[in-house]
Amino acid sequence: MNTIQKEVILDDSRVIMEALAQAGADTYIGYPITPSNAMYLYASIRYKYMLPAPDEISTLQYMSGMAATGHLPVTATSFPGFALMVESINMAYMMELPMIIILTQRLGPATGTATAGAQGDIALLRGMISGGHPIPVVCPATIEDCWDLSAKALQMAVDLRCPVIILSSKERANTNRNFDISKLPPIKPIERKYYQSNEPFIPYKYNDTLVPDFLPVSNNQHQVRLTASTHDQKGIIQHTSDEAMKNTIRLEKKVNQYIDTHNDYNHINNHADTLVVSYGITANAAEEAVLTLNNQGKKIDLLIVKTLLPIASKINDIIHSYKKVVFAEDNINGQYAKIIFGDRLPNHVSFVGAIGKMLSPKEIIEGGKF
């Protein structure tokens, strides 16, 4: 079947927001902040419910309320706003409420420079849940990723009853590109399954998936208890009872178990000894650098990680199978490399970074010392 091409000028912001809407996200709640404003604007005309919030703390509180009633809320922000959201994201994590938070990275620390891009928030995301529990983070590297990964992120949020973060950056979110949108297939809305039984609803009772059934508080049959403090399966606040501790441990296990079977990456495998690892906006430069090196007769493999956190077993297996590994990231401290290998990188692992500008293919080639 012939498909009619439809070239348009678009950016990742609109692609992510449209993908989420088609997948079933029906609510946008937010406080405007650069460089996420294009998402706020598009959501205001696309989403069924649009609720401007007075600040970022209120944003997450409103989102939790909407999620509790069965809606699928979305917000977009950058570090200064995200920092205010962290406690409430922890609350939603503990209450097991599905939602999407888009974090558009910009240069820090603090308010930094709102219109300069960066990849400096990965280390924050790794440890943002008190107790070190993992929160799922996906990171698109192409427009196609923005389409597919955003829909998968929403499915993940529903399947896990958990907030999921889509990690972007200023350049990816705001750069206009020519693109044939006929390449983006329609997205089928997520089918949500709710608890259906006449037996009393136990809000945190789980099965082998480690994920409890969900039931909106707006149902007219059962009491639904959502609890942000340590609790048992009934949602009753506990101190450190065995049941409550098992429930807290389950929160970690359910995410790790899911990510090990639902993770996205692109591994260009020429059976080389050297691997370049990258993600997000830097993946484009890394891909060009590897192509250049291969054209020069140097055999180099490439791994673009799209499900960034928690690190899936498959990602670890790939990275640890190489004799030489070079990470390419738009930060100056090799955040993703250190998440995988620790503060002291082994001798066979190196890092090429940049600050205040995008990393170029030439810099990756020169810095990687291939």
Side-chain angles (χ1 to χ4, degrees):
M1 182 177 71
N2 292 326
T3 302
I4 299 175
Q5 291 188 345
K6 189 173 182 181
E7 289 277 348
V8 300
I9 297 175
L10 80 173
D11 54 44
D12 285 11
S13 295
R14 284 173 286 177
V15 179
I16 290 172
M17 298 309 293
E18 178 61 28
L20 289 170
Q22 290 197 22
D26 60 354
T27 304
Y28 186 91
I29 302 172
Y31 183 82
I33 187 169
T34 304
S36 291
N37 289 332
M39 298 182 200
Y40 185 102
L41 178 62
Y42 187 80
S44 69
I45 57 175
R46 177 63 176 87
Y47 280 56
K48 185 175 182 180
Y49 303 106
M50 168 67 184
L51 185 57
D55 54 61
E56 285 86 353
I57 296 175
S58 301
T59 295
L60 256 292
Q61 295 293 318
Y62 293 178
M63 289 175 72
S64 295
M66 292 297 283
T69 58
H71 295 279
L72 292 175
V74 176
T75 194
T77 189
S78 58
F79 172 77
F82 189 83
L84 296 173
M85 294 178 177
V86 168
E87 182 186 8
S88 295
I89 296 174
N90 273 254
M91 181 196 75
Y93 188 89
M94 192 62 162
M95 295 170 78
E96 300 189 62
L97 296 172
M99 62 180 64
I100 296 290
I101 302 107
I102 302 159
L103 174 55
T104 310
Q105 296 171 102
R106 68 189 208 189
L107 185 63
T111 49
T113 298
T115 55
Q119 290 181 310
D121 294 341
I122 298 93
L124 165 69
L125 298 178
R126 175 78 183 300
M128 63 167 285
I129 301 296
S130 180
H133 300 293
I135 190 166
V137 179
V138 302
C139 184
T142 64
I143 286 181
E144 289 88 345
D145 286 347
C146 291
W147 192 249
D148 297 334
L149 274 184
S150 297
K152 288 180 180 178
L154 191 67
Q155 183 72 62
M156 191 183 299
V158 169
D159 290 347
L160 281 172
R161 281 190 60 173
C162 180
V164 173
I165 294 170
I166 298 175
L167 186 65
S168 186
S169 62
K170 176 256 172 183
E171 281 82 7
R172 284 232 57 98
N174 292 349
T175 302
N176 284 315
R177 306 168 177 83
N178 289 334
F179 188 80
D180 176 12
I181 58 172
S182 68
K183 295 178 180 178
L184 304 178
I187 294 173
K188 187 177 179 182
I190 292 169
E191 294 183 12
R192 299 193 68 179
K193 296 178 180 177
Y194 299 121
Y195 177 78
Q196 290 188 344
S197 172
N198 291 324
E199 297 296 320
F201 177 61
I202 301 176
Y204 297 108
K205 182 180 179 181
Y206 53 90
N207 54 29
D208 290 343
T209 68
L210 304 180
V211 182
D213 289 337
F214 184 80
L215 192 61
V217 294
S218 51
N219 84 92
N220 292 320
Q221 184 176 0
H222 298 286
Q223 179 190 52
V224 177
R225 182 181 291 111
L226 297 168
T227 311
S229 297
T230 302
H231 56 264
D232 61 13
Q233 293 191 17
K234 293 180 179 177
I236 303 295
I237 293 177
Q238 303 272 302
H239 184 231
T240 53
S241 67
D242 288 345
E243 184 175 330
M245 292 302 95
K246 286 179 181 177
N247 188 64
T248 300
I249 293 168
R250 174 184 62 79
L251 296 175
E252 172 146 347
K253 285 185 175 178
K254 73 170 182 179
V255 175
N256 287 331
Q257 177 175 286
Y258 188 92
I259 293 298
D260 265 348
T261 53
H262 299 78
N263 58 82
D264 283 85
Y265 61 89
N266 183 20
H267 184 203
I268 299 176
N269 186 2
N270 297 312
H271 304 289
D273 291 333
T274 299
L275 176 72
V276 173
V277 181
S278 195
Y279 54 90
I281 185 68
T282 312
N284 304 138
E287 188 171 9
E288 187 171 328
V290 169
L291 180 62
T292 301
L293 289 165
N294 285 333
N295 287 338
Q296 292 172 356
K298 298 176 181 176
K299 203 165 153 184
I300 309 292
D301 288 354
L302 174 66
L303 177 65
I304 299 173
V305 186
K306 301 178 182 180
T307 306
L308 279 184
L309 296 172
I311 298 167
S313 297
K314 181 64 178 178
I315 298 300
N316 265 319
D317 290 343
I318 292 172
I319 292 175
H320 287 277
S321 69
Y322 282 84
K323 294 179 179 177
K324 177 181 171 70
V325 182
V326 178
F327 285 81
E329 308 177 52
D330 272 353
N331 56 56
I332 58 170
N333 32 41
Q335 293 187 17
Y336 200 59
K338 289 181 178 177
I339 286 173
I340 294 177
F341 286 100
D343 274 343
R344 179 175 290 182
L345 298 181
N347 292 334
H348 73 289
V349 178
S350 61
F351 155 71
V352 183
I355 185 169
K357 67 181 191 62
M358 293 170 61
L359 196 60
S360 71
K362 182 181 178 184
E363 289 171 317
I364 295 172
I365 292 171
E366 293 177 351
K369 300 177 181 177
F370 298 96

